Amino acid sequence: MSAQAQYQPVTDARLLNPEPGNWLMWRRTYDNWGYSPLNKINTSNVSRLVPVWAFSTGVTQGHEAPPIVNGNFMYITAPYNKLYALNARTGQLIWKYERQLPNDVVTCCDVVNRGVALYGDKVFMGTLDAHLIAFDARTGKIVWDVTVEDYKTRHTITSPPVVAKGKVITGVHGGEFGVRGFLAAYDPNTGKQLWKTYTTAADDSWPGDSWKNGGASTWLTGSYDPRTNTLFWGTSNPSPWMDAARDPDKHDLRWTVSVLGFDPDTGRIKSSFQYSPNDAWDYDGVNEQILITLNNRPTLISAHRNGYLYNLDRTGGGLRFVNAFKYAYANIYKSIDRNGRPVWNPEHRPDIGKTVNACPSFLGGKNWNPAAYSPQTGLVYIPSNDWCMDIRGAQVQYTAGEAFVGAEFEMNVVPGLNHVGALRAVNPATGRIVWEQKFRAPLWGGVLTTAGGLVFTGTLDDRGFHAFDARSGRKLWSFTTNSGVIGVPMSYEVGGTQYIAVYSGFGGAIPLWAGPVAKLTQNVPMGGVLWVFAVR
């Protein structure tokens, strides 16, 4: 039987309860744990992990996607919307797609793509020119290709959609260009748009009608709670970051820098929580929402860019603040009140013409690169960064297709610290940092936890891919890759063998935006290679 004939369609039931050997979506499961139940690779044998095959993309921009595996089929994207279907056991190419992007596509933060979604016998990918494409999973033939929005207004798509209850649901990028963010759902068979919900509220939390170009883009993949039929999705910064027309006592700029609960059947927003009302630091609220049960309560935890780990009660699909714990160096708040509203430290809040030093930097105590949760330890493993910025507001006017930031900034290290990156194992119930591993350069890769008692992540300063004991943090294994690792590691099993896979290929936001801090990575070689490991 040919490999194409062996493809098993992805159903709602399989997405709700995926087989241990498959990795069918961005974080494997709807709850965004980033956890593999496989345990053939464990603390006793991880030292014998060796590369068994590799795949080079020939591209020198940032490689941030995790492979998605369904049986023998592996799907992996590369920058510029290149998509490869590989044999998951051997790495042999089955089919490929390389999008011919318009010459005038402009992106905020490199030409990255973070992967695909699967449903039925199709593969779904969003593109830098704001299209959503469905491919035949077996052959790569395009089944449909629809325009989600006009790329000339700088809408882009960089992250995979979520498929929930038979709908393909995608967000958009563009918060630095004055887009109005939204989520949209599509029929997986035809590409017909089923609903579209904007994420800036047309209300008096904005000065005038500035919500029309107010940001709140939805550029990173959300999570889904099937028990309450709620899709949780974060929103980005306001556009621009600062504006003299805004009154901090009056304009919360809903729903920027928030997490929203959507009904996936209709797109209705049924719950909300705003991390940073009237945000002035670019503290996007898009970071992954991890759904766990904490103290017998359904809880959403999220390590936010402002350096705090939030616990939100999601009972019944709602969003109610419980508490927040600092997990990274931060000076911008005096406190967070009982309702979750931050009490700003005025010395560190920028404004038009006012320069301050603020920590974390706008790239956050953690950025897009996902944390992971282990049900074995009850800990969340956060890829953190301790860094600051000098930032000053600058008044700007909206022009379609032009940058709409409203700030000048320069990043810097925290005085007295000899590291920026830190992998931190945090107890989400107490905020206690159980262990940490520090790195000189920023940490920009995702995290994987496994039932083998392991935590995997990659680094920049040593081009390393590492395995740690999930309970103690002791480093158990390392491998020096071709470039800096900013990919999202994952694990799968084919033919009785467990594999660990990760992209190495530096790029993304740090070389573009980190200023002096980027010097810590100036010697990292470029170029994307997918590495696949097994125990031998």
Side-chain angles (χ1 to χ4, degrees), residues 233-278:
W233 212 291
T235 66
S236 81
N237 55 284
S239 300
W241 297 2
M242 285 168 271
D243 186 336
R246 295 172 186 166
D247 181 347
D249 295 325
K250 180 180 178 182
H251 296 132
D252 281 352
L253 312 178
R254 292 195 293 260
W255 296 105
T256 61
V257 196
S258 301
V259 55
L260 303 174
F262 295 83
D263 182 336
D265 294 326
T266 64
R268 180 178 66 88
I269 296 174
K270 58 183 186 179
S271 57
S272 58
F273 174 78
Q274 192 168 31
Y275 296 105
S276 185
N278 202 322

Side-chain angles (χ1 to χ4, degrees), residues 237-466:
N237 55 284
S239 300
W241 297 2
M242 285 168 271
D243 186 336
R246 295 172 186 166
D247 181 347
D249 295 325
K250 180 180 178 182
H251 296 132
D252 281 352
L253 312 178
R254 292 195 293 260
W255 296 105
T256 61
V257 196
S258 301
V259 55
L260 303 174
F262 295 83
D263 182 336
D265 294 326
T266 64
R268 180 178 66 88
I269 296 174
K270 58 183 186 179
S271 57
S272 58
F273 174 78
Q274 192 168 31
Y275 296 105
S276 185
N278 202 322
D279 180 79
W281 299 271
D282 187 30
Y283 289 151
D284 280 32
V286 298
N287 287 3
E288 70 286 351
Q289 310 83 35
I290 299 175
L291 310 183
I292 63 174
T293 298
L294 197 61
N295 298 324
N296 297 316
R297 177 169 49 205
T299 300
L300 182 155
I301 61 173
S302 184
H304 189 53
R305 278 202 196 182
N306 63 11
Y308 288 80
L309 175 65
Y310 284 76
N311 289 337
L312 303 179
D313 184 340
R314 57 182 174 86
T315 300
L319 287 165
R320 184 180 65 81
F321 177 76
V322 178
N323 53 37
F325 304 106
K326 193 183 293 187
Y327 71 88
Y329 184 81
N331 65 11
I332 32 80
Y333 301 156
K334 291 182 176 180
S335 62
I336 294 178
D337 73 16
R338 60 185 299 180
N339 297 313
R341 191 177 183 91
V343 179
W344 301 324
N345 186 335
E347 294 181 8
H348 301 290
R349 180 177 169 84
D351 206 341
I352 302 296
K354 176 187 174 184
T355 304
V356 302
N357 184 261
C359 314
S361 77
F362 68 98
L363 291 180
K366 193 189 81 64
N367 203 279
W368 70 272
N369 44 322
Y373 173 77
S374 170
Q376 291 185 329
T377 63
L379 303 178
V380 59
Y381 302 86
I382 305 174
S384 313
N385 287 301
D386 298 317
W387 48 11
C388 304
M389 63 180 169
D390 293 323
I391 181 170
R392 173 188 179 93
Q395 189 63 45
V396 290
Q397 299 297 320
Y398 175 73
T399 301
E402 300 294 328
F404 194 46
V405 175
E408 301 163 350
F409 46 82
E410 182 173 278
M411 293 178 58
N412 40 69
V413 299
V414 180
L417 298 186
N418 59 5
H419 76 276
V420 175
L423 176 63
R424 293 185 167 121
V426 180
N427 183 330
T430 65
R432 185 171 74 91
I433 296 175
V434 177
W435 59 260
E436 62 182 348
Q437 289 275 355
K438 296 178 180 177
F439 309 97
R440 180 170 176 267
L443 193 57
W444 209 249
V447 181
L448 164 71
T449 58
T450 76
L454 298 168
V455 177
F456 291 88
T457 196
T459 52
L460 296 178
D461 41 0
D462 57 0
R463 295 185 283 132
F465 184 49
H466 311 286

Side-chain angles (χ1 to χ4, degrees), residues 14-26:
R14 293 185 67 205
L15 291 175
L16 287 167
N17 187 24
E19 306 85 1
N22 285 320
W23 194 281
L24 299 178
M25 66 178 78
W26 160 244

Side-chain angles (χ1 to χ4, degrees), residues 59-263:
V59 183
T60 56
Q61 281 71 27
H63 289 64
E64 298 183 346
I68 302 299
V69 171
N70 181 22
N72 288 320
F73 286 77
M74 171 186 286
Y75 303 95
I76 182 77
T77 61
Y80 297 110
N81 291 122
K82 297 177 185 294
L83 169 59
Y84 305 97
L86 306 174
N87 183 309
R89 186 199 306 257
T90 65
Q92 293 300 307
L93 181 69
I94 299 173
W95 57 261
K96 67 178 181 180
Y97 171 79
E98 297 183 350
R99 186 158 184 80
Q100 298 301 306
L101 292 163
N103 292 330
D104 55 348
V105 165
V106 175
T107 65
C108 152
C109 309
D110 203 0
V111 289
V112 301
N113 183 276
R114 302 186 183 87
V116 299
L118 306 180
Y119 190 66
D121 56 0
K122 299 182 184 65
V123 180
F124 303 93
M125 178 176 71
T127 70
L128 294 173
D129 55 344
H131 281 229
L132 184 63
I133 308 175
F135 301 87
D136 184 302
R138 296 177 177 87
T139 66
K141 179 183 178 182
I142 292 177
V143 181
W144 50 259
D145 178 345
V146 298
T147 300
V148 175
E149 254 299 350
D150 184 358
Y151 77 88
K152 293 185 177 180
T153 51
R154 307 311 176 210
H155 291 82
T156 60
I157 301 175
T158 57
S159 297
V162 169
V163 179
K165 296 188 70 176
K167 298 178 178 61
V168 185
I169 302 167
T170 186
V172 293
H173 205 293
E176 272 62 52
F177 295 94
V179 305
R180 188 184 184 196
F182 62 86
L183 277 191
Y186 294 84
D187 184 306
N189 294 315
T190 65
K192 178 184 177 183
Q193 189 178 93
L194 302 175
W195 54 257
K196 179 178 181 178
T197 300
Y198 287 104
T199 48
T200 59
D203 63 16
D204 59 5
S205 71
W206 295 81
D209 62 357
S210 56
W211 49 267
K212 291 181 177 178
N213 306 107
S217 64
T218 49
W219 59 270
L220 195 59
T221 307
S223 56
Y224 175 58
D225 179 0
R227 293 188 176 182
T228 62
N229 193 31
T230 306
L231 187 68
F232 294 106
W233 212 291
T235 66
S236 81
N237 55 284
S239 300
W241 297 2
M242 285 168 271
D243 186 336
R246 295 172 186 166
D247 181 347
D249 295 325
K250 180 180 178 182
H251 296 132
D252 281 352
L253 312 178
R254 292 195 293 260
W255 296 105
T256 61
V257 196
S258 301
V259 55
L260 303 174
F262 295 83
D263 182 336

